[in-house]
Amino acid sequence: MKAAQFIGKPLFEISEIDTPDCPDDGLLVRVHAGAICGTDLKIMKCQDVKIEKGKVTSMDIPRITCHELSGVIEQVGNKADGFKCGDKVVVAPTVPCLNCAMCEKGYHEMCMNVQVIGYHRDGGFAELLKVDHDVLASGCVVKVPDNVPLDAAALTEPLSCAVNCLELSPVSEGDSVLVMGAGPLGLMIADLARHLGAEKIFLADVVSEQLQKAKVSDIDAVIDLSNQDIEEEIDKLTDGLGADLVVTACPAPTAQQVAMKIVAKKGKVNFFGGLPRDSAIVELDTNLIHYKEITVVGTHGSAPRHVVQAVELQAEGKMNLGKYIEKTFPLDAINDALKVAQGKGRLKIIIKPNG
Ligand SMILES: [Zn+2]
Ligand SMILES: [Zn+2]
């Protein structure tokens, strides 16, 4: 089969590799669409993989990346139940062990032995994806109903992270929400917050081109940080109260600092976006947390149950993920696609390994 493998250089190599065998107690999935995520770009730039003496040490290479994918079941192992050939599915990439202390508490997204598809094992930038038994057993393969387009379903994983975000920092009817960072995930969080009852949604970004893309979402006010003062704008927009929830969906330490100032008393701040390692020590005025009784939480990834919820939101017509897709590329053009994905002001870029 054809696959795009990360080989430890900044580029992916398209090659013809052996088609994986379908495990007896697993599945083989024909990949319909795989979305490029910031993680793939980090891997490409070797930012999140350790390189020692010119070798990648924390991720085995060659590796087929891509953890945001949809597909159709091609083959079912004779000891695997619950699925049949032709079923449309998404695969939750975070595979919990179900045995560790975190898994026992039900915090599957915090599994201490987590295996990530597209990082620890091969992911979706290939014609076929082998699904091992542990992936099936932990509920990572989720059926997609016919009314959900498979291109859009490739974005189920990012939506599941938005679901986890708003589970950890819930909105109430009538709340005001500020999302800092107008990337596709920021937009998904904004749209999901609206669906969950938030009344006013604001979106801020320092990149004007990215804010242009926010037109796909229903935003009440857009704040261009390149020429507007966020404290002044939020003050005006909330009659001096501050936003009930501020989500930092960007890798900027200043966003975390400013979030504390513009969140309402009794409000919530969610550090959704991680920071680059070398800028993760941030000076925060913790008296703001104390005097305003702010709740500060973080969100990292999602568990299979969030993926199930993300599929339901699409099936019920509450979230339409197709609108976040900017462009589609064939697998052969993956390096061009990765270049486009790094440009300013992008929605999601999709790879179609089977054309
Ligand atoms: Zn991702
Ligand atoms: Zn575990």
Side-chain angles (χ1 to χ4, degrees), residues 159-175:
L159 176 60
S160 74
C161 299
V163 169
N164 190 20
C165 171
L166 293 177
E167 182 182 290
L168 290 163
S169 50
V171 287
S172 305
E173 208 71 38
D175 273 358

Side-chain angles (χ1 to χ4, degrees), residues 104-121:
E104 274 173 15
K105 288 183 178 175
Y107 303 140
H108 291 161
E109 65 280 25
M110 289 289 131
C111 172
M112 294 154 91
N113 311 308
V114 71
Q115 286 274 306
V116 181
I117 293 171
Y119 191 84
H120 299 107
R121 5 180 137 174

Side-chain angles (χ1 to χ4, degrees), residues 211-231:
L211 287 168
Q212 289 297 316
K213 303 283 173 175
K215 287 177 186 140
V216 300
S217 294
D218 178 18
I219 305 291
D220 295 299
V222 160
I223 304 163
D224 186 339
L225 301 175
S226 68
N227 57 40
Q228 285 178 295
D229 181 276
I230 192 158
E231 288 180 60

